Amino acid sequence: MCGIAGYVGHRNAVEVVLDQLQRLEYRGYDSAGVAFLDGDSLKTIKRAGKLEELKQLIGADLPDSNLAIAHSRWATHGPPTDLNAHPHADQGGRIALIHNGIIENYLELKEELVRKGHSFQSETDTEVAAHVIGQEYGEGTSLEDAVRRGVKRMKGAYAFVVASADEPDKIVAVRAASPLVIGLGDGETMLASDIPALLPYTRRVVILESGQLAILTPEGLKVQNLAGAEVDYVPFEPDWDVASAEKGGFEHFMLKEITEQPEVVHQCLAGRLTEGGKIKFEQIFSDHVLQDIDRINVIACGTAYHAGLMAKHVFERMLRLPTDVFYSSEFRYGDPVLSPKSLAIFVSQSGETADSLAALRLCKKKRIRTLGIVNVVGSSIARECDRVLFTQAGPEISVASTKAYTAQVLVLFMLALYVAQVREMPGIRLRETTAQLRKFGDYVQDALQLEDEIKRVAQQFEDAKLVFFLGRGADASLALEGALKLKEIAYLPTQECPAGEMKHGPLALIEPGVPALFGATDEGVRDKIVSNVREVQARGGQAIVMTTDDEGRFDSVADSVLKVPQSGNPYLNALITIVPLQLFAYHMALVRGCEIDQPRNLAKSVTVE
Ligand code: F6R
């Protein structure tokens, strides 16, 4: 969630780290700061609010420095104020430190330091960390030794980046859980909390592992373990290009990411459908293991959890495999009953979500087989799962997840087909289904043509106080995701549930003018949805129906009808409605003047509990 940037080398370091912070804005933050070498001391400038405010404070004439570290903070200890913003200094003001994560024993450490005469400017755990490391930074000690000794006294999950005025060509970074990536250039070395921030400068990337310490100088990188022994590393070249991590002419990353979904579908399917109409996965369990599985647990948070709900329909109806879907935060403390033959599937865009990671570790401790469905290569969940299937959706920058969801559902769908293939289940019609999958990108492209109609619906309901999202079966799972999107970015209360549940309570909230978005892609329950539409209208509500029905059977029933393409497959039909749902949330947020790519109170990557 916090953004970390650091640079040492021949360029203007302040300019580089400010640019890197901008590329990390998607992570969510509420203050920002930078420390840079200014003559023989370190100068720190920091500000509550957006990066733009920090830039104004620094001024157009950027300080000329070859070393800088910078940070965008997501408040955990103390509110987002100028003083609580990072970087923080030690007692002597010789070092500057930035941090992502939480120091669990910071209060004990702080009390001990106060007894020794230390004074603190902020309420943060990070300033305590700076003082602890500063205490270890005595005569004849190198910065890396001080960091190594300091972190031994701290408990928690963190990534620290430290610079010292006394060692002006060096940045030291250490990682315990929170992500850090390092970029290698010619006469320059840099770091960040995520790869897109490095791409304009270098394509040679090293992922720092948990428990490793990095020493960055213009000449290059040294990696050590916490005992001080040198560790080998192998740089790799990410296949993401700079353009795919930038807005590409769209007003918002969210719209760009919604619009690029046809391409994402192709990327996600790439190499996974054979000519003979079968599914092919590179990294998956053996046939024997897949035949042995007796139940599936999908564990995830937020949007990824909603992708898991879609998977439940497929696994249960297609494979007849009992499937439970858990919120990671409930799973980890819920003492779940786990069959030794079960498969635990962890769905995560970032691969760093703290609750999902903890739930994964719990499963590993109980020797349950684990499979990750992850977007970010090299992320913790991807590395720790027994097997991983990447969603291949490219970097998702907007805080509100869109294209990652579509790719997650597709991978889960392909997984169900793969298991059916391995189990030689009759009646699955693999060839036909893979042909429908191949065309899915085109259907998504067609659904994007609804944007103008959706814009009109959004303008009509701009002042709504509450929006309903309804459906049955897979459409009900989509309703949950549509509602989450609207809450997140348009700050509108929503009521979402299976349409058949309305009369058991939620119907009380329908008042004249309240909009209700219905997903109606399932032929089998079409008449039931018609009755639910009438229930809403009888109380003055307005029904907007998204349907694959091309015979106009909702035309005389609904207040508005949004026709989505018919793919021939019930799960894919439901999934197509994600496009109008995402566009509805986007246009509602736009007409209501909300900040779309960094909505309030949310972070892209939730690396703390
Ligand atoms: C919603 C959203 C969040 C994430 C959730 C899990 O738009 O982005 O609900 O889906 O925080 O994040 P990952 O998938 O990174 O584990």
Side-chain angles (χ1 to χ4, degrees):
M1 30 223 304
C2 297
I4 283 181
Y7 177 90
V8 56
H10 54 79
R11 303 185 207 229
N12 182 313
V14 176
E15 189 177 355
V16 174
V17 293
L18 289 177
D19 174 58
Q20 290 178 325
L21 276 196
Q22 191 124 33
R23 293 170 196 280
L24 295 170
E25 274 196 306
Y26 65 88
R27 298 172 68 86
Y29 68 102
D30 40 39
S31 61
V34 58
F36 54 90
L37 218 53
D38 183 29
D40 57 5
S41 63
L42 282 169
K43 185 164 178 183
T44 297
I45 305 178
K46 49 196 197 172
R47 198 60 198 271
K50 292 289 172 197
L51 190 55
E52 229 14 75
E53 294 173 47
L54 175 69
K55 284 185 180 168
Q56 274 170 22
L57 197 65
I58 297 171
D61 219 3
L62 292 180
D64 187 19
S65 177
N66 74 318
L67 179 147
I69 59 175
H71 187 264
S72 47
R73 173 176 184 251
W74 166 264
T76 53
H77 290 83
T81 60
D82 291 355
L83 280 179
N84 285 338
H86 301 200
H88 288 282
D90 68 325
Q91 180 72 5
R94 294 159 70 212
I95 65 169
L97 176 145
I98 57 181
H99 165 219
N100 179 6
I102 288 181
I103 309 300
E104 286 164 9
N105 60 336
Y106 85 104
L107 276 176
E108 290 148 58
L109 292 166
K110 189 170 184 174
E111 280 164 19
E112 183 190 316
L113 290 161
V114 168
R115 279 198 298 277
K116 289 185 178 157
H118 286 236
S119 59
F120 292 88
Q121 316 282 316
S122 77
E123 298 151 79
T124 62
D125 51 346
T126 305
E127 193 181 9
V128 176
H131 281 236
V132 169
I133 291 171
Q135 253 191 334
E136 304 290 342
Y137 195 33
E139 277 298 316
T141 313
S142 67
L143 188 58
E144 56 271 29
D145 284 339
V147 170
R148 213 181 334 266
R149 287 185 205 159
V151 295
K152 285 195 181 137
R153 294 169 57 194
M154 294 184 243
K155 290 188 199 138
Y158 52 75
F160 290 122
V161 176
V162 193
S164 161
D166 299 338
E167 296 177 72
D169 272 341
K170 186 193 279 182
I171 294 174
V172 174
V174 66
R175 173 181 175 193
S178 302
L180 262 188
V181 291
I182 295 164
L184 310 176
D186 286 334
E188 57 183 354
T189 313
M190 61 209 83
L191 55 80
S193 23
D194 206 351
I195 295 169
L198 302 177
L199 292 182
Y201 305 98
T202 181
R203 304 196 65 82
R204 286 166 62 220
V205 172
V206 177
I207 294 180
L208 198 67
E209 301 282 339
S210 202
Q212 289 184 341
L213 178 142
I215 304 161
L216 287 75
T217 61
E219 289 73 45
L221 168 71
K222 267 193 201 162
V223 178
Q224 301 177 343
N225 62 22
L226 290 184
E230 204 118 329
V231 173
D232 288 338
Y233 59 84
V234 184
F236 74 101
E237 288 205 7
D239 54 9
W240 295 355
D241 57 18
V242 182
S244 69
E246 287 176 352
K247 268 192 210 161
F250 286 90
E251 198 178 341
H252 297 102
F253 278 115
M254 184 179 178
L255 186 60
K256 172 180 178 272
E257 287 161 8
I258 293 172
T259 308
E260 70 195 13
Q261 288 179 106
E263 182 52 34
V264 168
V265 170
H266 292 302
Q267 278 174 37
C268 175
L269 303 180
R272 289 168 166 170
L273 305 180
T274 70
E275 289 299 318
K278 293 205 162 177
I279 305 287
K280 191 175 87 192
F281 281 133
E282 299 276 300
Q283 250 227 50
I284 193 71
F285 295 101
S286 67
D287 291 2
H288 169 72
V289 168
L290 293 177
Q291 273 149 359
D292 191 46
I293 288 165
D294 66 352
R295 58 177 319 123
I296 293 183
N297 294 313
V298 185
I299 302 143
C301 305
T303 287
Y305 168 84
H306 293 156
L309 292 180
M310 277 294 279
K312 178 176 165 75
H313 296 288
V314 190
F315 292 147
E316 292 194 336
R317 291 204 195 170
M318 188 194 288
L319 302 177
R320 309 309 296 168
L321 256 178
T323 302
D324 286 315
V325 188
F326 292 90
Y327 289 114
S328 309
S329 55
E330 290 293 304
F331 184 90
R332 66 183 288 196
Y333 296 118
D335 194 13
V337 180
L338 298 173
S339 152
K341 289 181 166 188
S342 64
L343 172 68
I345 302 180
F346 292 86
V347 187
S348 177
Q349 189 286 129
S350 63
E352 299 293 348
T353 302
D355 281 323
S356 301
L357 198 52
L360 163 60
R361 289 176 182 157
L362 181 78
C363 285
K364 295 208 78 172
K365 217 160 128 191
K366 292 185 183 251
R367 299 182 180 278
I368 301 294
R369 295 176 190 114
T370 58
L371 170 69
I373 295 190
V374 178
N375 197 36
V376 179
V377 178
S379 61
S380 304
I381 294 178
R383 284 181 293 130
E384 292 189 29
C385 278
D386 297 332
R387 297 284 187 281
V388 60
L389 297 173
F390 290 105
T391 40
Q392 301 176 179
E396 191 177 64
I397 309 294
S398 167
V399 168
S401 186
T402 54
K403 61 177 184 170
Y405 170 82
T406 303
Q408 286 161 352
V409 176
L410 284 178
V411 172
L412 286 160
F413 182 57
M414 284 190 279
L415 176 65
L417 292 174
Y418 186 81
V419 175
Q421 179 179 300
V422 168
R423 293 187 171 198
E424 296 177 2
M425 293 183 72
I428 299 296
R429 301 210 291 250
L430 267 174
R431 193 178 277 273
E432 190 186 317
T433 314
T434 51
Q436 289 158 344
L437 264 173
R438 279 184 207 280
K439 287 200 196 134
F440 190 67
D442 300 339
Y443 300 137
V444 172
Q445 186 66 56
D446 290 347
L448 285 166
Q449 307 310 314
L450 290 168
E451 186 169 0
D452 285 343
E453 276 179 67
I454 291 162
K455 217 190 271 183
R456 276 195 292 280
V457 176
Q459 281 159 357
Q460 184 186 348
F461 295 108
E462 176 182 350
D463 298 321
K465 300 281 176 283
L466 172 69
V467 181
F468 274 72
F469 289 84
L470 302 165
R472 285 171 179 258
D475 287 326
S477 302
L478 263 297
L480 300 193
E481 176 55 11
L484 180 66
K485 288 287 93 74
L486 189 70
K487 278 196 258 268
E488 279 180 296
I489 60 162
Y491 313 144
L492 251 171
T494 61
Q495 171 66 47
E496 52 279 14
C497 64
E501 273 300 296
M502 284 290 277
K503 64 176 87 58
H504 301 289
L507 206 50
L509 295 174
I510 296 281
E511 285 179 1
V514 168
L517 269 77
F518 284 88
T521 65
D522 185 347
E523 276 290 299
V525 290
R526 199 189 61 240
D527 294 346
K528 306 286 167 206
I529 292 285
V530 169
S531 308
N532 296 134
V533 165
R534 295 211 160 107
E535 262 167 17
V536 166
Q537 290 170 327
R539 283 140 188 101
Q542 299 269 308
I544 301 108
V545 177
M546 297 169 296
T547 181
T548 37
D549 178 58
D550 47 15
E551 290 174 19
R553 283 172 289 197
F554 281 99
D555 292 358
S556 58
V557 180
D559 297 284
S560 306
V561 178
L562 299 170
K563 289 201 173 125
V564 287
Q566 165 67 260
S567 73
N569 180 285
Y571 307 112
L572 298 179
N573 282 351
L575 180 57
I576 295 172
T577 64
I578 195 58
V579 176
L581 287 169
Q582 292 166 345
L583 286 170
F584 178 68
Y586 176 80
H587 283 288
M588 283 295 269
L590 202 62
V591 287
R592 290 162 62 83
C594 303
E595 201 170 333
I596 291 178
D597 282 334
Q598 288 117 41
R600 70 185 183 204
N601 306 339
L602 293 176
K604 184 66 182 161
S605 180
V606 187
T607 53
V608 293
E609 193 178 345

